[in-house]
Amino acid sequence: MAKYIFVTGGVVSSLGKGVTASAIGALIKAGNYSVNMMKIDPYLNVDAGTMRPYEHGEVFVCDDGTETDLDLGNYERFLQITTTRDSAITTGRVYQRVIDAERRGEYLGQTVQVIPHITNEIKKRIKLFDKHNSDICIIELGGTVGDIESVPYTEAIRQFAIEEGSENVMFIHLTLVPLVTGGELKTKPSQHSVKTLMSEGILPDMLVCRSTETIPDELKEKLALFCNVRKKAVISLPDAKNSIYEIPLKLQQEKVLEIIEERLKLPLKKANLSKWQEIVKNIEESTDIVDIAFVGKYLQLSDAYKSVLEAFVHAGTQQKHKINLINIDPELLENNDPEVLENLKKAHGIFVPGGFGTRGVDGKITTLNYGRINKIPTFGICLGLQCMVIEYARNVLKIKADSVEFNPSAEHLVIEMLTNLKNIKDFGGTMRLGAYDSEFVADSKIATIYGTTKVSERHRHRFEVNPMYTDDLEKAGLIISGRGPSGLVESVEIQDHPWYLGVQYHPEFLSSPLKAHPLFNSFVEASIKNKNKI
Ligand code: GLN
């Protein structure tokens, strides 16, 4: 029977709850337990697919096509698990299920209420999500305690703990200990947040204190006293120095596994963290810098590209280089901003990520043209591939090419809507989503990089390369090196260029700190070669 750890957050959002919960998972796994993770998001959206990336961060896609919160990406990267539709719940989904059941008459005339019907549905989802019978399930509750929308969840997990028995459930509360003017660390916000948690019937078993500094012993004592936890279970978690992959090691130093084992009456095991030590060492030793131009439209908020940024960390670590991503604002490039042009010229590689909508597209196409002509290693993902095809059609085929997404009345729509999506009106969950196979041409660059001609990668797109133009594009020299099940273009490349490659899928979702994704790895390697040549 699984044991459960609930992770709640206090004081403010964006404390790194997902990363901390994942790192706790990694530490437990290093103690030779099997671990699974689940995310609860209290918002009303049915899933994250319709949410703005610059507000909510990237939409992470599971193998099964679920569009979900970026924290599931952290779970996969830290634990090497494959998350599914059951690994995340939102208030939208819970209510949708309960209301559907009510319409089917399943409640036999009862008054349907938040307690017990919504709370029962939440408990059922938690109980049923782990199909692997893992030793430990970690459930992260999104948001901050005290939020109105998280109340049904705190109530449900309070009931859950009673039903499962105290030896089988523990609560970890992540809080902020801020440093104020005068250099003093303050405990009051944590005291208040624990008070709120306790007023909802939950006593934390462990307090993980996020801070810019290490929490000294006397402050731990104070926090323990006021927050009703043992001193030993007040954990200091200052900001990581170089990367988030240091966190399992920091938690180990604070004896987090031991406290969990004691609390959940598990045998005391020794965690083997050698692989995390190696990753951290490699990151520390990666001091040479390679500059990569990052041509995306969400510049300020990096969470919009979370998995891509992590994939670059993984590839950089494997290549023993620190990757300096230079933000290239495609809109400024459209206006020939001299500083942006200068930055682009400095770059040893060019990366165009996925995206939606017209804004910045012309700048992306200009950058791709620059990379192609000047033989700079260039990597395009999803929208990046589509822009590569438009650029090639415009400048080599010499046709007025565009995508139906940007300019439906263009003369040559080289990027068209996927045929089976043409009559769909709903936005939620209707794209081509999740894992599909791609087959590569045997001697293509992409097949050489992967070392195989068949891969499964995750997708999230509504448009594709128009099959009516593939012959002309190929005759003009664009190599269609990979195709999906029905002939759909999955990858393109060109000859006589050190590294120019676009993929319709999202390789970033499968990159891991233990093994960088081959495409990111090879692209970074090519950029380093380019740097050393210059
Ligand atoms: N907007 C493009 C499409 O829907 C690309 C999507 C993406 O980059 N994820 O096909």
Side-chain angles (χ1 to χ4, degrees):
M1 200 180 89
K3 305 222 178 210
Y4 295 87
I5 299 175
F6 290 96
V7 181
T8 54
V11 187
V12 290
S13 58
S14 303
L15 280 182
K17 187 149 36 85
V19 167
T20 309
S22 307
I24 293 173
L27 174 61
I28 299 174
K29 195 177 168 197
N32 210 11
Y33 295 97
S34 56
V35 185
N36 204 350
M37 292 191 71
M38 178 187 196
K39 174 83 192 269
I40 294 174
D41 272 311
Y43 46 68
L44 280 168
N45 304 59
V46 171
D47 61 39
T50 55
M51 298 172 92
R52 281 192 207 106
Y54 58 82
E55 210 174 288
H56 186 67
E58 129 195 307
V59 176
F60 186 78
V61 181
C62 306
D63 264 352
D64 67 8
T66 305
E67 294 174 284
T68 184
D69 188 85
L70 61 80
D71 276 323
L72 273 76
N74 288 320
Y75 305 166
E76 293 203 352
R77 288 186 284 269
F78 273 92
L79 291 166
Q80 285 78 55
I81 53 175
T82 303
T83 57
T84 68
R85 183 178 163 77
D86 294 333
S87 314
I89 56 174
T90 68
T91 299
R93 263 182 79 194
V94 171
Y95 271 75
Q96 198 174 48
R97 282 207 167 98
V98 171
I99 293 167
D100 286 348
E102 186 271 338
R103 292 290 84 184
R104 287 193 300 268
E106 284 176 24
Y107 296 115
L108 306 173
Q110 290 171 27
T111 308
V112 180
Q113 294 180 296
V114 173
I115 304 172
H117 300 95
I118 294 295
T119 44
N120 281 352
E121 179 65 27
I122 295 168
K123 287 187 287 180
K124 191 164 112 197
R125 292 293 125 213
I126 293 171
K127 195 79 191 148
L128 292 180
F129 99 91
D130 178 42
K131 307 275 187 295
H132 309 292
N133 293 322
S134 304
D135 299 326
I136 294 185
C137 292
I138 301 177
I139 292 115
E140 179 194 349
L141 177 56
T144 309
V145 290
D147 293 348
I148 289 180
E149 45 190 22
S150 58
V151 173
Y153 294 100
T154 40
E155 171 57 17
I157 63 182
R158 181 194 69 76
Q159 295 173 13
F160 189 87
I162 292 176
E163 287 161 21
E164 292 293 308
S166 104
E167 282 180 12
N168 298 321
V169 177
M170 80 176 276
F171 295 102
I172 297 181
H173 189 58
L174 191 75
T175 180
L176 174 72
V177 179
L179 187 73
V180 294
T181 338
E184 212 184 329
L185 286 167
K186 289 295 191 186
T187 64
K188 193 73 84 189
S190 304
Q191 295 179 36
H192 281 298
S193 128
V194 171
K195 211 174 263 173
T196 310
L197 193 61
M198 293 203 294
S199 74
E200 294 178 15
I202 292 172
L203 289 179
D205 298 293
M206 185 190 286
L207 208 60
V208 178
C209 303
R210 289 283 296 108
S211 179
T212 48
E213 318 295 309
T214 304
I215 312 287
D217 243 27
E218 49 300 355
L219 215 71
K220 282 191 174 179
E221 229 157 77
K222 188 172 174 188
L223 282 158
L225 185 66
F226 283 96
C227 299
N228 207 33
V229 283
R230 290 180 306 152
K231 183 183 160 205
K232 189 180 170 186
V234 178
I235 307 302
S236 169
L237 187 60
D239 297 341
K241 215 166 56 207
N242 287 314
S243 91
I244 53 174
Y245 302 115
E246 293 161 27
I247 302 175
L249 303 174
K250 286 191 190 241
L251 296 172
Q252 160 87 333
Q253 282 162 10
E254 294 280 295
K255 303 202 165 40
V256 167
L257 180 60
E258 200 179 298
I259 300 163
I260 292 172
E261 286 170 331
E262 275 172 13
R263 173 65 187 74
L264 294 176
K265 301 271 187 298
L266 292 161
L268 291 187
K269 292 194 197 171
K270 210 172 149 27
N272 176 1
L273 286 158
S274 51
K275 65 180 181 210
W276 297 104
Q277 276 153 351
E278 200 180 312
I279 293 167
V280 169
K281 186 169 147 269
N282 285 343
I283 293 178
E284 270 168 14
E285 284 173 0
S286 305
T287 45
D288 287 346
I289 294 174
V290 59
D291 294 322
I292 290 179
F294 193 104
V295 200
K297 70 174 174 181
Y298 306 123
L299 299 169
Q300 317 82 329
L301 276 169
S302 56
D303 266 1
Y305 299 114
K306 181 72 184 155
S307 293
V308 165
L309 300 183
E310 288 306 312
F312 273 120
V313 171
H314 308 155
T317 313
Q318 203 151 314
Q319 292 297 326
K320 291 271 166 74
H321 270 68
K322 198 173 155 53
I323 305 216
N324 177 35
L325 293 174
I326 309 175
N327 272 334
I328 299 289
D329 182 340
E331 279 184 291
L332 292 180
L333 203 72
E334 282 163 20
N335 302 326
N336 289 322
D337 183 292
E339 199 185 320
V340 181
L341 276 169
E342 206 43 51
N343 277 340
L344 180 62
K345 284 188 190 141
K346 271 205 309 236
H348 308 119
I350 295 171
F351 177 75
V352 182
F356 294 83
T358 318
R359 189 161 69 80
V361 159
D362 280 334
K364 290 178 187 174
I365 292 172
T366 309
T367 324
L368 290 166
N369 179 260
Y370 173 83
R372 185 171 62 79
I373 303 287
N374 293 290
K375 303 212 186 300
I376 317 281
T378 302
F379 187 16
I381 285 182
C382 206
L383 182 71
L385 170 138
Q386 296 174 2
C387 289
M388 278 178 164
V389 172
I390 298 171
E391 189 280 319
Y392 207 85
R394 283 186 190 170
N395 299 315
V396 181
L397 263 186
K398 307 267 185 232
I399 56 173
K400 290 199 172 108
D402 220 319
S403 162
V404 67
E405 183 179 8
F406 319 135
N407 181 9
S409 56
E411 204 179 320
H412 295 282
L413 290 174
V414 293
I415 307 296
E416 247 299 4
M417 171 96 67
L418 284 154
T419 320
N420 56 341
L421 302 187
K422 280 190 176 154
N423 294 320
I424 293 175
K425 295 275 176 291
D426 277 359
F427 262 97
T430 53
M431 284 185 251
R432 178 169 181 255
L433 293 164
Y436 289 95
D437 286 346
S438 295
E439 272 213 57
F440 303 131
V441 174
D443 55 358
S444 59
K445 183 164 190 90
I446 196 162
T448 316
I449 293 170
Y450 274 102
T452 172
T453 54
K454 196 168 174 187
V455 298
S456 168
E457 292 275 4
R458 297 183 189 172
H459 296 72
R460 182 173 189 250
H461 63 123
R462 196 167 268 121
F463 305 96
E464 64 167 330
V465 179
N466 188 343
M468 304 225 307
Y469 287 91
T470 48
D471 278 354
D472 288 350
L473 285 163
E474 283 192 295
K475 271 185 215 135
L478 186 75
I479 302 166
I480 297 179
S481 52
R483 289 192 183 259
S486 51
L488 179 143
V489 174
E490 290 280 13
S491 71
V492 300
E493 52 193 78
I494 54 174
Q495 249 163 4
D496 303 323
H497 191 290
W499 212 101
Y500 192 89
L501 211 150
V503 287
Q504 184 57 73
Y505 50 80
H506 291 268
E508 69 270 24
F509 293 140
L510 294 185
S511 187
S512 144
L514 302 179
K515 191 177 184 311
H517 190 284
L519 291 181
F520 278 90
N521 187 45
S522 169
F523 168 61
V524 167
E525 191 183 19
S527 304
I528 295 169
K529 261 194 206 139
N530 183 32
K531 176 191 168 182
N532 294 339
K533 201 181 69 199
I534 297 167

